Amino acid sequence: MSGSLWLNLVPAFVVGGLLCVCAQLLMDLTKPKFTPAHVLIVFASLGTVTGALGWYEPLVKFAGAGATVPLTGFGYVMGKGAVQGAESGILGVLAGGIEGAAIGITAAILFSFICAVSFKPKG
Amino acid sequence: MSVLVKVTPQEYEEMNKKIQPKPKLIRNCAMAFVVGGGICLVAQILINVFLYLGIALKEAQILGTTSMIFLGSLLTGLGLYDSIVSLGGAGGILPVTGFANAMVSPAMDSKKDGYILGVGAKMFSVAGPVIICGTIVAFVMGLGCLIFR
């Protein structure tokens, strides 16, 4: 058991790394160069679409953090939330996306605010 | 007999450009792979620790992502995350740590503009578009699901 617990580090590293390579290619090969914001938006949208269609779920099962930590994972929880919400009607659709990402968004706002307030910019 | 190819400085520049980008592209991708993969590896180690402590897989994964957001904000605050991005390119940008960096960095820099128009507004200069895009796409997908199912 403890052996198989650490075996999942390999797919996490490889899949996470490959997603970042795709992002790097997107940045280097586009003519008006993609900014980090563009890259994040493209990957979040891709994650949302594939998450809603149920295509991203197998990747999460296979790669764990390698699929959830890149920003496609952020989109995945939004897409999945909206589709799950659709079972309870239009209000579920409206709530589902943000609901799925709620923990991530709240944590990001909280930590970012604390860090931005308590640290001084360098240089 | 010698073969001379006449090249104007401009043509030479163009030829140079044709040759140069390739090794740089491969190097960038290799660094993105190692750094991005490494960040995911750290997250997976954290998740495994949570699993070892008896936390269920779903919660462990969410806790892992949350911890990475915390680490990303902290490293940005300490001024260390910029070197990760310059080292790994997209490998530092794409993981949630990069998302946290994109929130903290502009917020910290515009503290002089106050807490409302500085920190509060600039925190979402990158995160805002991402959340907007995700929300709209998620709504459209959910709506499609509602109509076609």
Side-chain angles (χ1 to χ4, degrees):
Chain A
M1 181 59 213
S2 64
S4 68
L5 187 66
W6 299 102
L7 217 61
N8 59 12
L9 296 181
V10 179
F13 179 80
V14 173
V15 171
L18 284 177
L19 282 170
C20 292
V21 169
C22 294
Q24 186 69 50
L25 286 173
L26 201 63
M27 281 173 79
D28 284 355
L29 296 180
T30 43
K31 254 296 160 57
K33 231 182 175 182
F34 263 41
T35 66
H38 287 89
V39 173
L40 292 179
I41 286 168
V42 167
F43 273 79
S45 307
L46 277 177
T48 311
V49 172
T50 52
L53 294 171
W55 299 348
Y56 202 77
E57 187 90 35
L59 194 67
V60 173
K61 286 222 171 78
F62 173 69
T68 55
V69 167
L71 222 60
T72 37
F74 184 78
Y76 151 75
V77 290
M78 292 188 99
K80 198 177 145 198
V83 167
Q84 277 176 352
E87 283 164 21
S88 60
I90 186 72
L91 290 180
V93 174
L94 284 168
I98 300 274
E99 236 168 46
I103 298 174
I105 292 175
T106 306
I109 291 174
L110 206 65
F111 296 147
S112 297
F113 185 75
I114 293 169
C115 287
V117 168
S118 47
F119 289 104
K120 273 185 184 161
K122 289 246 166 86
Chain B
M1 195 183 95
S2 66
V3 184
L4 270 176
V5 186
K6 274 188 183 168
V7 196
T8 63
Q10 216 175 359
E11 282 174 320
Y12 179 78
E13 200 72 28
E14 273 177 10
M15 284 162 75
N16 234 358
K17 253 184 204 161
K18 261 183 203 164
I19 306 163
Q20 259 179 353
K22 266 196 176 166
K24 210 182 150 205
L25 183 70
I26 292 168
R27 204 190 140 271
N28 282 352
C29 286
M31 289 312 289
F33 182 80
V34 173
V35 172
I39 291 172
C40 295
L41 185 77
V42 171
Q44 190 63 55
I45 290 173
L46 288 173
I47 292 172
N48 286 355
V49 170
F50 294 135
L51 286 174
Y52 186 75
L53 294 174
I55 297 167
L57 180 66
K58 268 265 151 58
E59 277 85 37
Q61 279 186 337
I62 294 169
L63 273 176
T65 308
T66 312
S67 312
M68 292 313 282
I69 294 172
F70 174 69
L71 275 178
S73 320
L74 188 68
L75 288 177
T76 307
L78 294 171
L80 300 172
Y81 203 82
D82 281 345
S83 47
I84 295 178
V85 172
S86 61
L87 191 73
I93 293 165
L94 190 64
V96 276
T97 45
F99 182 69
N101 172 58
M103 288 180 80
V104 177
S105 191
M108 207 163 59
D109 290 339
S110 54
K111 235 193 307 194
K112 60 179 187 307
D113 298 331
Y115 284 106
I116 295 169
L117 296 176
V119 176
K122 295 288 158 51
M123 191 185 279
F124 287 98
S125 56
V126 171
V130 173
I131 294 172
I132 289 168
C133 209
T135 306
I136 292 172
V137 175
F139 174 73
V140 170
M141 295 305 287
L143 199 65
C145 191
L146 196 66
I147 293 168
F148 295 110
R149 209 180 271 172

Short mmCIF file of all heavy atoms in Angstrom, two decimals, chain A residues 121, chain B residues 106-123:
data_model
loop_
_atom_site.label_atom_id
_atom_site.label_comp_id
_atom_site.label_asym_id
_atom_site.label_seq_id
_atom_site.Cartn_x
_atom_site.Cartn_y
_atom_site.Cartn_z
N PRO A 121 7.04 44.98 -2.07
CA PRO A 121 7.61 44.57 -3.35
C PRO A 121 9.11 44.80 -3.38
O PRO A 121 9.61 45.79 -2.82
CB PRO A 121 6.89 45.47 -4.36
CG PRO A 121 6.33 46.59 -3.57
CD PRO A 121 6.08 46.07 -2.20
N PRO B 106 0.76 41.93 -9.04
CA PRO B 106 0.27 43.28 -9.33
C PRO B 106 -0.37 43.95 -8.11
O PRO B 106 -0.28 45.17 -7.97
CB PRO B 106 -0.76 43.08 -10.44
CG PRO B 106 -1.09 41.64 -10.43
CD PRO B 106 0.05 40.91 -9.82
N ALA B 107 -0.98 43.15 -7.23
CA ALA B 107 -1.61 43.72 -6.04
C ALA B 107 -0.56 44.35 -5.13
O ALA B 107 -0.73 45.46 -4.63
CB ALA B 107 -2.39 42.65 -5.28
N MET B 108 0.56 43.64 -4.97
CA MET B 108 1.63 44.11 -4.11
C MET B 108 2.26 45.39 -4.67
O MET B 108 2.54 46.34 -3.94
CB MET B 108 2.69 43.00 -4.01
CG MET B 108 3.49 43.01 -2.77
SD MET B 108 4.32 41.43 -2.53
CE MET B 108 5.31 41.28 -4.00
N ASP B 109 2.45 45.38 -6.01
CA ASP B 109 3.11 46.52 -6.65
C ASP B 109 2.26 47.79 -6.61
O ASP B 109 2.80 48.89 -6.70
CB ASP B 109 3.46 46.18 -8.11
CG ASP B 109 4.58 45.15 -8.19
OD1 ASP B 109 5.32 45.01 -7.20
OD2 ASP B 109 4.70 44.48 -9.23
N SER B 110 0.94 47.63 -6.54
CA SER B 110 0.09 48.83 -6.60
C SER B 110 -0.50 49.16 -5.24
O SER B 110 -1.55 49.78 -5.15
CB SER B 110 -1.01 48.62 -7.65
OG SER B 110 -1.71 47.44 -7.37
N LYS B 111 0.21 48.74 -4.19
CA LYS B 111 -0.26 49.05 -2.83
C LYS B 111 -0.33 50.55 -2.58
O LYS B 111 -1.16 51.02 -1.82
CB LYS B 111 0.68 48.40 -1.81
CG LYS B 111 -0.06 47.51 -0.83
CD LYS B 111 0.75 47.10 0.35
CE LYS B 111 2.08 46.47 0.05
NZ LYS B 111 2.63 45.81 1.25
N LYS B 112 0.55 51.29 -3.29
CA LYS B 112 0.58 52.75 -3.08
C LYS B 112 -0.71 53.41 -3.54
O LYS B 112 -1.02 54.52 -3.11
CB LYS B 112 1.79 53.36 -3.81
CG LYS B 112 1.77 53.11 -5.30
CD LYS B 112 2.98 53.75 -5.98
CE LYS B 112 2.92 53.66 -7.47
NZ LYS B 112 2.70 52.31 -8.01
N ASP B 113 -1.48 52.75 -4.41
CA ASP B 113 -2.75 53.30 -4.87
C ASP B 113 -3.89 53.03 -3.90
O ASP B 113 -5.04 53.31 -4.21
CB ASP B 113 -3.10 52.73 -6.26
CG ASP B 113 -2.08 53.10 -7.30
OD1 ASP B 113 -1.45 54.16 -7.15
OD2 ASP B 113 -1.88 52.32 -8.25
N GLY B 114 -3.57 52.45 -2.76
CA GLY B 114 -4.60 52.21 -1.75
C GLY B 114 -5.12 50.79 -1.80
O GLY B 114 -4.81 50.02 -2.71
N TYR B 115 -5.94 50.47 -0.81
CA TYR B 115 -6.42 49.09 -0.69
C TYR B 115 -7.59 48.78 -1.61
O TYR B 115 -7.86 47.64 -1.91
CB TYR B 115 -6.78 48.78 0.76
CG TYR B 115 -5.55 48.56 1.59
CD1 TYR B 115 -5.11 49.52 2.50
CD2 TYR B 115 -4.80 47.41 1.43
CE1 TYR B 115 -3.95 49.33 3.23
CE2 TYR B 115 -3.65 47.21 2.16
CZ TYR B 115 -3.22 48.17 3.06
OH TYR B 115 -2.07 47.97 3.76
N ILE B 116 -8.31 49.83 -2.05
CA ILE B 116 -9.48 49.57 -2.89
C ILE B 116 -9.09 49.59 -4.36
O ILE B 116 -9.24 48.60 -5.08
CB ILE B 116 -10.59 50.60 -2.60
CG1 ILE B 116 -11.08 50.40 -1.15
CG2 ILE B 116 -11.75 50.43 -3.57
CD1 ILE B 116 -11.96 51.49 -0.63
N LEU B 117 -8.55 50.74 -4.82
CA LEU B 117 -8.20 50.85 -6.24
C LEU B 117 -6.84 50.24 -6.55
O LEU B 117 -6.53 49.96 -7.69
CB LEU B 117 -8.23 52.33 -6.67
CG LEU B 117 -9.60 52.99 -6.58
CD1 LEU B 117 -9.51 54.47 -6.93
CD2 LEU B 117 -10.59 52.29 -7.51
N GLY B 118 -6.02 50.03 -5.52
CA GLY B 118 -4.72 49.41 -5.73
C GLY B 118 -4.80 47.90 -5.58
O GLY B 118 -4.97 47.16 -6.55
N VAL B 119 -4.71 47.46 -4.33
CA VAL B 119 -4.69 46.02 -4.03
C VAL B 119 -5.95 45.32 -4.56
O VAL B 119 -5.89 44.32 -5.28
CB VAL B 119 -4.53 45.78 -2.52
CG1 VAL B 119 -4.60 44.29 -2.21
CG2 VAL B 119 -3.21 46.35 -2.03
N GLY B 120 -7.12 45.89 -4.20
CA GLY B 120 -8.38 45.23 -4.54
C GLY B 120 -8.60 45.10 -6.03
O GLY B 120 -9.02 44.04 -6.52
N ALA B 121 -8.30 46.16 -6.77
CA ALA B 121 -8.57 46.13 -8.21
C ALA B 121 -7.51 45.36 -8.97
O ALA B 121 -7.82 44.53 -9.83
CB ALA B 121 -8.68 47.56 -8.75
N LYS B 122 -6.24 45.60 -8.65
CA LYS B 122 -5.14 45.01 -9.44
C LYS B 122 -4.98 43.52 -9.19
O LYS B 122 -4.39 42.81 -10.01
CB LYS B 122 -3.83 45.76 -9.15
CG LYS B 122 -3.84 47.18 -9.61
CD LYS B 122 -3.78 47.26 -11.14
CE LYS B 122 -4.30 48.58 -11.69
NZ LYS B 122 -3.72 49.77 -11.09
N MET B 123 -5.51 43.05 -8.07
CA MET B 123 -5.43 41.62 -7.77
C MET B 123 -6.10 40.80 -8.88
O MET B 123 -5.72 39.67 -9.16
CB MET B 123 -6.10 41.35 -6.43
CG MET B 123 -5.88 39.97 -5.87
SD MET B 123 -6.83 39.72 -4.38
CE MET B 123 -5.79 40.52 -3.17
#
